Amino acid sequence: MESGYVTTPFGRRPMSLGMLASQHLAETIEPGMKRSKWKLFRAICEARPALGVTDRALTVLDALLTFYPDDEISEEKGLIVFPSNAQLSLRARGMTPATLRRHLAVLVEAGLILRKDSPNGKRYARRDRAGAIGDAFGFSVAPLLARAVEIESLAAQAVADRELLRVTRERLTLCRRDISKLITAALEEGVSGDWEGISAMFRALLARIPRVATAEDLTPLLDEMAMLRAEIVNMLERRTKTQKIDANESQIEHHKQNSNPDSTYELEPSFETKQGEKAAADNDPNAGPSDERRLKQQRPSGRMSNRAGGAADPGAGQGLKSFPLGLVLQACPSILDYGPGGNIGNWRDLMSAAVVVRSMLGVSPSAYEEACSGMGPENAATVIACILERGGHINSPGGYLRDLTRRTEKGEFAIGPMLMALARANGPMARHAS
């Protein structure tokens, strides 16, 4: 393979492999390729961080391009400019010779220009009798033309990244404002809830915002803040709905039915046994009033699904906001081991796993049934996954679940902060939801 034309620097300036690679790249310009020098320069300015050049070095490159005679850079019109240091300094806003040499070296190191030094280090051109340039010594802009596609691609990516950062910052600012004002409104209106804990969580999120941040730094913080805002809105909406509920609704709530065929507590064998006991009592002529009352107390009332096709009350479990399955699995990866085949691909799998974990944790069927009725089946399964994840921090999982169910009915419990704390503790992981 031919080595091509290689030129080495004049004087004590050393040769480097980077210079050799740039010279080889300059020989790979496609025939007929042209680029507007000022459009290409603007692209270089956009992609400056990726190219590793300083703003002062770009000032020198700007000055060099003014010595190129045409608006379009092409091989047919030559690729060498040969200004003296004095002229180059004037067009570089009066830059001193030492500073000029330093930034010229930066441009060479970045692979944007090449040195083509004469035998004595001077910059000049030899012309024929017709005035055409035969040979020239100075700076070659061939790397700009050879890397034009790469530079334009880097510039487009830089513009997209900057726009993404702008949009992310705007959304984060709006989210911060919303949370701050919603918490203030909740405190002024006397809404029940752990507002001190929510405020502390909000301050912790604010403390994690870097002073100089990228979109990658801000996106996870924005997701967490959006989730916190949604949970606060959910709590305030529950308060608004509670004010419109009449005194009898709490009593009617105990008799609501759920026709959801995916309901987790359908899987509990104890409920089937209770139905069998009821049928036996109905057929027993010796069953007295006390037996009938006892069986009524054992029944799961209207909380169990109506297998005959009765419509479910749409208000069951509406008090709590359900979160995406992927987020639940990110916060509670331990529940994955109890899913069918060691994996959880949908809510049905999670609810099946929750039944297994419920038994393992010693939570009674009645406690889990109440949680499903008060929170909704998906949220109850989510809470079981959170209890499993917290492990030894909870002494009585059954009592803890009953307490959360009572707090849910009063509008004092939100799943969001619990999930956020576990998600931060476990770090990011791949989403397992299908």
Side-chain angles (χ1 to χ4, degrees):
M1 182 178 68
E2 294 184 4
S3 61
Y5 184 79
V6 175
T7 178
T8 55
F10 171 77
R12 290 181 292 180
R13 287 192 295 266
M15 183 67 178
S16 68
L17 293 179
M19 293 181 188
L20 189 62
S22 296
Q23 291 178 21
H24 176 71
L25 178 64
E27 295 181 0
T28 62
I29 300 174
E30 296 180 4
M33 188 172 186
K34 298 179 180 180
R35 283 294 188 278
S36 166
K37 64 181 181 181
W38 297 124
K39 288 183 179 179
L40 193 55
F41 178 72
R42 282 194 293 271
I44 293 171
C45 292
E46 293 284 3
R48 180 176 66 83
L51 293 172
V53 292
T54 63
D55 53 348
R56 299 295 300 278
L58 290 182
T59 300
V60 175
L61 180 60
D62 181 25
L64 276 175
L65 290 176
T66 62
F67 289 98
Y68 193 82
D70 295 291
D71 285 337
E72 284 190 337
I73 302 175
S74 64
E75 284 189 291
E76 291 78 8
K77 298 174 183 178
L79 296 171
I80 305 294
V81 291
F82 40 89
S84 66
N85 278 351
Q87 291 298 318
L88 188 56
S89 176
L90 287 176
R91 296 196 188 183
R93 317 302 192 263
M95 192 175 291
T96 63
T99 305
L100 188 67
R101 287 192 295 271
R102 185 168 68 253
H103 291 300
L104 283 169
V106 170
L107 293 173
V108 173
E109 186 68 24
L112 297 179
I113 62 173
L114 287 175
R115 291 182 184 274
K116 186 181 177 183
D117 288 346
S118 66
N120 62 2
K122 301 294 183 180
R123 301 177 201 133
Y124 58 88
R126 290 197 183 96
R127 301 177 183 269
D128 56 22
R129 292 183 178 181
I133 296 177
D135 201 3
F137 299 95
F139 296 103
S140 172
V141 294
L144 296 181
L145 200 57
R147 299 180 63 186
V149 175
E150 175 196 352
I151 290 171
E152 290 163 352
S153 176
L154 290 173
Q157 184 62 49
V159 171
D161 290 344
R162 186 171 63 247
E163 179 64 15
L164 177 60
L165 179 60
R166 183 189 67 80
V167 171
T168 305
R169 283 186 180 277
E170 285 182 355
R171 291 177 179 174
L172 188 64
T173 299
L174 291 174
C175 201
R176 290 173 60 179
R177 185 183 70 192
D178 292 346
I179 293 174
S180 177
K181 290 183 179 293
L182 288 172
I183 291 176
T184 301
L187 293 174
E188 291 177 351
E189 296 289 338
V191 178
S192 60
D194 185 16
W195 297 110
E196 182 178 351
I198 291 176
S199 298
M201 188 179 301
F202 179 48
R203 290 193 297 270
L205 288 174
L206 294 179
R208 289 168 52 195
I209 300 177
R211 180 165 302 189
V212 179
T214 63
E216 289 75 13
D217 297 328
L218 297 180
T219 298
L221 290 172
L222 176 60
D223 291 342
E224 293 187 42
M225 280 200 182
M227 187 167 64
L228 181 60
R229 178 178 60 184
E231 195 59 43
I232 293 172
V233 170
N234 190 41
M235 294 173 69
L236 296 179
E237 286 179 349
R238 285 205 304 272
R239 169 62 180 269
T240 304
K241 292 177 182 178
T242 302
Q243 292 175 345
K244 298 179 181 179
I245 295 176
D246 47 53
N248 294 329
E249 186 164 351
S250 60
Q251 180 67 25
I252 297 172
E253 184 69 21
H254 291 290
H255 300 284
K256 289 182 179 178
Q257 293 181 334
N258 181 6
S259 62
N260 182 4
D262 288 339
S263 178
T264 305
Y265 43 80
E266 277 187 353
L267 305 175
E268 294 286 356
S270 58
F271 299 160
E272 303 292 341
T273 304
K274 291 173 184 177
Q275 285 185 324
E277 290 175 356
K278 170 62 172 62
D282 291 340
N283 295 327
D284 186 359
N286 297 321
S290 60
D291 296 328
E292 184 177 352
R293 284 195 300 271
R294 176 178 56 82
L295 288 172
K296 285 182 179 180
Q297 291 173 355
Q298 291 177 348
R299 293 177 199 166
S301 302
R303 293 171 181 158
M304 192 168 64
S305 65
N306 186 345
R307 295 173 183 256
D313 191 314
Q318 280 191 356
L320 282 184
K321 173 185 175 63
S322 295
F323 290 89
L325 179 59
L327 175 61
V328 175
L329 297 180
Q330 177 185 345
C332 310
S334 299
I335 195 74
L336 289 167
D337 296 333
Y338 300 92
N343 189 32
I344 293 177
N346 50 52
W347 281 106
R348 177 70 175 180
D349 292 345
L350 179 64
M351 291 188 287
S352 298
V355 171
V356 177
V357 172
R358 188 277 306 161
S359 176
M360 183 187 72
L361 294 176
V363 176
S364 66
S366 60
Y368 188 54
E369 176 201 350
E370 291 174 4
C372 289
S373 297
M375 301 179 182
E378 293 86 356
N379 287 326
T382 300
V383 171
I384 287 291
C386 292
I387 292 175
L388 173 66
E389 198 65 33
R390 295 182 66 180
H393 297 286
I394 300 174
N395 295 328
S396 175
Y400 182 63
L401 182 62
R402 288 185 186 274
D403 179 64
L404 295 184
T405 303
R406 285 192 295 269
R407 289 171 58 191
T408 300
E409 293 172 353
K410 297 178 182 178
E412 297 177 353
F413 172 61
I415 296 179
M418 180 188 297
L419 280 178
M420 288 171 58
L422 290 173
R424 285 196 301 271
N426 291 321
M429 65 167 288
R431 299 293 176 92
H432 292 265
S434 59

